[in-house]
Amino acid sequence: MPIVLLIYFFNSFLLPHGLLYSAILTPVFIYWIWKSNSLLYLILSAFVIVLFDIYHISNGADLKSLTVSSTLFISAISFCIASWNWLRDHTDLKSLMSGLLKWNSIFVLLALAAAPFAFGRALLWYEVPISPGIASFPRLKLFTYEAAFYAFLFAPVFLYYFWRIILGIERNWLMITMAIFLPLILSLSFGVTGALAVALSIAALVFWTQLRTLPSIKKTLLYGGTFSIIFLCVLVLVYPENPIFDRLTNVFQGTDTSARGRLFESFMFAFDLANSKSIWLGVGLGQIKILGHDLIINFYQYEGEFADIVRIPNAMGELLATYGIVGVIYKLSLEIYLFFKHSLYTNYFNFSLFLFVFIYQFTGSYLVNTAELLLWTTAIFVRFPELNASYFKSE
């Protein structure tokens, strides 16, 4: 559990921006991979990366940035394979989820207690403006580097207990409901919440034949609908100019720079960058910050420290720029293949978590995001039999 907590909650804690403990522990992960006879997967992955690197070097890529980024990519893949081996061999995954929820709840209470103090807010809360015209306010991030990243990491725990509540398995459903919804509300991550809502909506439609026969579904819809209506009424009557409504207004009016950047402009930049070298094979790892620097900062009119941070805030957009159409086709094909190979459509948890990460890769994340790789691994290889859809088929 200490290693799980380190990776899950403290992976970037007290480290320089961009450095993670999962990267520092790469030699340990490679040793685990070797001990579990899975080294061939890492070697093949590294071989493919090197082949692309050779092509991009011949096409004028900056060698230093390419080497650093390739090393980070191989490190992230090492973490992914090590996680897969660990999750595959771990037999008590229910206790793992229970432990994560308990520790998360403790940390949330700690964050709430520390919120009135400047040091506590700086440590556990994220205070960066989320949209033009909206003043900054604290958003829960715990020990991660920003609120959306924390919410993204929390998604598997949320979905696991959400389905246990829906299916009537969880006895302490009221307490668990508060424990899984409060962190998402406090993080106020529109991207994560939106992707979860879409994934769960699709899952509800796919599994509706089974779900509508459950005794617990009527109670869930009644309580959930009542709470949602009350919550919206309170916001409208007591706090009409709240950040949620203001952010939604900006999104629909097209003035929200974050939404535009993640959903549309990231693909615009990615296409232009890839097309400058090869639309099929991209510009190579680590080249976006070099080739896209002037393009991106001039478009957004960045100044000061913001002019030093150049990235495409979208995993699929970054993949398009880095590895071109070939990279995008490969990743999507692999995801679809694994979805059907492991029959993820037969389990509520696996299906909804897979959909969530699939959607989110088009709206956020980044290419070497270890958190995304961990969620992919969880969605594909972690199975909770009590959440199998076949358990609840109508006769």
Side-chain angles (χ1 to χ4, degrees), residues 115-131:
F117 307 99
F119 174 77
R121 287 197 306 274
L123 182 66
L124 301 169
W125 297 84
Y126 189 64
E127 295 187 87
V128 174
I130 62 173
S131 190

Side-chain angles (χ1 to χ4, degrees), residues 94-327:
K94 293 181 183 178
S95 295
L96 175 65
M97 284 294 188
S98 176
L100 288 175
L101 182 64
K102 289 177 181 177
W103 279 105
N104 185 78
S105 300
I106 292 172
F107 292 146
V108 169
L109 292 176
L110 175 64
L112 290 172
F117 307 99
F119 174 77
R121 287 197 306 274
L123 182 66
L124 301 169
W125 297 84
Y126 189 64
E127 295 187 87
V128 174
I130 62 173
S131 190
I134 302 177
S136 62
F137 58 92
R139 298 163 58 203
L140 184 67
K141 72 177 184 70
L142 292 188
F143 303 99
T144 64
Y145 64 89
E146 67 113 0
F149 186 79
Y150 162 68
F152 181 74
L153 269 176
F154 187 68
V157 180
F158 172 85
L159 288 171
Y160 172 72
Y161 282 101
F162 176 86
W163 284 115
R164 285 180 62 89
I165 293 168
I166 293 294
L167 301 174
I169 299 173
E170 197 61 55
R171 294 182 178 179
N172 301 319
W173 64 270
L174 183 57
M175 183 180 297
I176 297 298
T177 299
M178 294 176 60
I180 64 173
F181 275 95
L182 185 60
L184 287 181
I185 294 172
L186 293 176
S187 70
L188 203 63
S189 172
F190 280 71
V192 172
T193 305
L196 282 172
V198 173
L200 289 173
S201 298
I202 296 174
L205 290 174
V206 171
F207 296 121
W208 182 246
T209 302
Q210 293 87 14
L211 291 174
R212 65 185 179 88
T213 64
L214 298 176
S216 58
I217 196 68
K218 294 181 180 178
K219 179 177 68 175
T220 302
L221 291 175
L222 176 62
Y223 290 164
T226 302
F227 175 79
S228 299
I229 292 172
I230 293 174
F231 179 72
L232 288 174
C233 289
V234 169
L235 280 182
V236 171
L237 297 175
V238 179
Y239 191 14
E241 296 182 356
N242 63 81
I244 297 176
F245 290 171
D246 290 343
R247 178 79 186 277
L248 288 174
T249 300
N250 287 349
V251 169
F252 286 117
Q253 290 180 347
T255 59
D256 187 272
T257 53
S258 177
R260 288 205 324 265
R262 292 174 183 272
L263 298 176
F264 307 110
E265 291 162 2
S266 57
F267 288 103
M268 177 184 70
F269 293 136
F271 181 85
D272 288 344
L273 285 171
N275 203 38
S276 69
K277 292 289 185 178
S278 169
I279 190 61
W280 290 101
L281 296 175
V283 299
L285 286 166
Q287 306 307 299
I288 293 175
K289 61 185 178 183
I290 297 174
L291 299 176
H293 184 270
D294 292 342
L295 176 68
I296 294 174
I297 65 170
N298 289 336
F299 182 86
Y300 288 113
Q301 296 296 305
Y302 283 151
E303 296 179 354
E305 62 178 331
F306 291 103
D308 298 326
I309 303 173
V310 175
R311 59 180 293 263
I312 295 177
N314 177 305
M316 196 55 71
E318 187 179 357
L319 179 62
L320 174 60
T322 303
Y323 285 136
I325 294 175
V326 170

